Amino acid sequence: MSEKTSRIPKFYQLSVEERLRIVSEFAGLSSEEQEMLLKGGLDIATANRMIENVIGIFQIPLGIAVNFLIDGKDYLIPMVIEEPSVVAAASNAARWAREGGGIETWASEQIMIGQIQLVGVKDPYAARFEIIKRKEELIRIANEKDPVLVSLGGGARDIDARIIHSIAGPMLITHLYVDVKDAMGANAVNTMAEAIAPHLASITGGRFRLRIISNLADRRLVRARTRIPASSIGGREVAEGIYEAYAFALADPYRAATHNKGIMNGIDAVAIATGNDWRAIEAGAHAYAARNGRYEPLSTWELSENGDLFGTLEMPLAVGIVGGATRTNPLAKISLKILGVKSASELARVMAAVGLVQNLAALRALAAEGIQAGHMSLHAKNIAVMAGAVGDEIDIVAEKMVSEKTIRVDRARQILEELRNKKQP
Ligand code: NAD
């Protein structure tokens, strides 16, 4: 185990400043970085270079999930998310996993797939043969486009071609496999796909159309596994409830969609915190979940004889620590520093661990007390704000609604009115 620990009891009870002090010590954040976390790090000039038609900067809270022990190393997890309870749930479930020895992970190579669509190919099977025969030359042409990636040990690795029968007739689809190392890889792969497309057209006598990365990144998989002692989650009965919740998701796509949404709560929050493209991750995750022709859960849960649970997660995770917004948004850089990850593969493994325990937390809440109990307090605060409460009023109104078990904006308005009337002399 590392000397730094992410096991921080009662972290949630500390003030924002105390939490920031602990995280800064853990990650070695400078005073400038701490200031950026409190006041916002992205300036308007940088934002204006990131997307088009900028008129402002939108903010979302950044929280830290504690207690993560992944492959024997302690991690503090930055999560950017607007939904209450997610950060708390991740921290709780990471503690349960820790009691079972932590979370183990594995990642494949960082291979992304570029697709080149060829239409009007007369003899597609013969053309496919020709492409494969000339793949060394095509790979060389692709690699000429990214000497930086090649110098780092990455680059185009292989080429294959498939014939698909579409409503617009047969098409020859070439797949270019690229090791993108520490990048998400879309720009790198798209550039290579565009470079080889004219050569593919002249080899096959067809016309090229689309030249674009596939977000079904099934050559870039990550896995996480953990053992959850029954005693950590409230006993055998709860463990059985979690197992039955998983069985429900396995048998029913309506439930599987929500099961996977729970996993993505954790994964997207880390993706956003680190400046990664969460739409790409989402697209890949759901396409992978449906790879067997039926939409299925991305995780599995097994119940052992003694009531302990074994959880696994397997999914594609195309994330980077260079390129895209990971380096342009200073807050993303700070998140990566807090995580202390040294490669895209390590970031993907950490994200898989977060997704797995996030899933567990949701299943436990559903199987044990029902999801609303955990959501109540923060939800009530949001409703109080909607009703017009400010400052101390927010907590007073929220607490009253929780104690009454009536969390509605009309009730919040009544309580607020009574409170303000009482305050008047
Ligand atoms: P990028 O082009 O900004 O950075 C990648 C480049 O960085 C590599 O090509 C390489 O030359 C260089 N590099 C330096 N050090 C590296 C290292 N250690 N490992 C790997 N490369 C290194 O970004 P990208 O990752 O190619 O593309 C990501 C962006 O593409 C994201 O912003 C994403 O939103 C966007 N995008 C996504 C899609 C999609 O998912 N369908 C489509 C188009 C664009």
Side-chain angles (χ1 to χ4, degrees):
M1 245 179 65
S2 55
E3 79 260 359
K4 286 194 293 189
T5 182
S6 66
R7 174 79 190 100
I8 312 176
K10 310 265 183 270
F11 189 67
Y12 65 97
Q13 290 177 350
L14 303 176
S15 67
V16 172
E17 289 73 19
E18 283 169 321
R19 289 189 205 119
L20 182 56
R21 188 185 52 73
I22 292 174
V23 173
S24 299
E25 261 172 39
F26 184 96
L29 298 186
S30 67
S31 49
E32 197 191 354
E33 287 166 331
Q34 294 177 39
E35 180 105 352
M36 281 192 195
L37 283 165
L38 292 176
K39 300 201 171 135
L42 182 60
D43 60 78
I44 199 74
T46 310
N48 196 33
R49 283 194 298 273
M50 287 172 73
I51 63 162
E52 310 74 35
N53 300 358
V54 167
I55 61 154
I57 295 167
F58 186 91
Q59 295 176 317
I60 308 180
L62 187 156
I64 295 288
V66 293
N67 303 331
F68 275 83
L69 181 64
I70 305 167
D71 299 319
K73 184 173 161 192
D74 276 83
Y75 289 90
L76 291 178
I77 314 287
M79 301 179 83
V80 169
I81 188 158
E82 83 298 342
E83 185 178 344
S85 301
V86 172
V87 179
S91 303
N92 278 333
R95 181 167 45 80
W96 307 329
R98 202 179 178 95
E99 283 163 14
I103 307 152
E104 249 185 286
T105 64
W106 169 93
S108 70
E109 280 188 300
Q110 305 299 299
I111 304 276
M112 295 299 285
I113 303 169
Q115 295 193 294
I116 301 105
Q117 177 195 25
L118 294 164
V119 295
V121 178
K122 288 231 171 53
D123 308 301
Y125 287 92
R128 174 176 187 266
F129 187 92
E130 200 58 28
I131 290 172
I132 293 169
K133 204 171 95 187
R134 293 171 67 170
K135 74 172 158 188
E136 293 310 323
E137 179 193 341
L138 291 162
I139 289 170
R140 187 183 46 75
I141 294 165
N143 279 334
E144 276 168 9
K145 286 284 158 193
D146 203 334
V148 174
L149 186 59
V150 172
S151 74
L152 293 164
R157 289 268 181 273
D158 201 2
I159 283 188
D160 201 354
R162 301 156 53 222
I163 290 115
I164 60 167
H165 299 280
S166 79
I167 56 166
M171 291 172 185
L172 185 55
I173 309 297
T174 300
H175 280 194
L176 175 67
Y177 300 100
V178 184
D179 182 344
V180 297
K181 292 282 164 204
D182 292 322
M184 181 267 168
N187 287 325
V189 170
N190 294 345
T191 309
M192 289 184 179
E194 288 187 9
I196 64 167
H199 298 272
L200 291 170
S202 71
I203 291 171
T204 61
R207 294 186 305 281
F208 65 81
R209 298 272 199 225
L210 272 54
R211 297 147 289 161
I212 181 79
I213 198 160
S214 168
N215 288 110
L216 176 49
D218 62 0
R219 301 284 180 107
R220 199 178 190 179
L221 294 180
V222 63
R223 298 195 182 106
R225 176 177 73 173
T226 191
R227 180 179 73 86
I228 307 295
S231 56
S232 309
I233 46 169
R236 196 191 171 94
E237 177 106 17
V238 178
E240 278 173 11
I242 291 171
Y243 177 65
E244 283 160 11
Y246 161 65
F248 178 11
L250 193 58
D252 180 8
Y254 285 91
R255 175 57 213 154
T258 320
H259 180 102
N260 288 343
K261 194 273 182 182
I263 295 170
M264 302 314 288
N265 270 343
I267 288 178
D268 284 347
V270 183
I272 300 171
T274 53
N276 272 288
D277 181 342
W278 72 95
R279 290 86 53 211
I281 296 170
E282 285 278 343
H286 299 297
Y288 195 71
R291 70 194 179 283
N292 296 325
R294 221 171 73 88
Y295 189 86
E296 290 175 352
L298 290 163
S299 64
T300 65
W301 289 97
E302 291 162 313
L303 188 62
S304 68
E305 295 244 314
N306 67 359
D308 290 356
L309 282 167
F310 289 92
T312 66
L313 174 74
E314 178 185 295
M315 61 183 290
L317 262 177
V319 291
I321 59 163
V322 299
T326 57
R327 295 285 165 106
T328 43
N329 187 339
L331 288 174
K333 269 202 270 186
I334 296 174
S335 290
L336 286 169
K337 188 166 175 182
I338 294 170
L339 280 165
V341 292
K342 299 284 180 284
S343 63
S345 153
E346 188 182 359
L347 175 59
R349 289 190 286 105
V350 167
M351 286 168 73
V354 176
L356 179 62
V357 301
Q358 198 77 58
N359 178 220
L360 172 69
L363 295 182
R364 188 195 177 278
L366 286 166
E369 65 261 16
I371 204 84
Q372 279 315 100
H375 269 101
M376 281 293 186
S377 146
L378 281 166
H379 175 59
K381 286 187 193 175
N382 283 337
I383 297 291
V385 171
M386 265 172 72
V390 288
D392 292 347
E393 291 173 346
I394 299 170
D395 283 338
I396 299 169
V397 173
E399 272 163 32
K400 183 121 177 68
M401 285 195 294
V402 171
S403 71
E404 291 174 357
K405 294 201 165 66
T406 309
I407 301 174
R408 288 199 321 256
V409 74
D410 57 326
R411 182 61 191 133
R413 282 201 196 102
Q414 280 171 355
I415 300 170
L416 187 61
E417 204 178 304
E418 287 160 20
L419 186 68
R420 286 180 178 170
N421 286 343
K422 243 195 269 171
K423 271 193 195 154
Q424 270 162 16

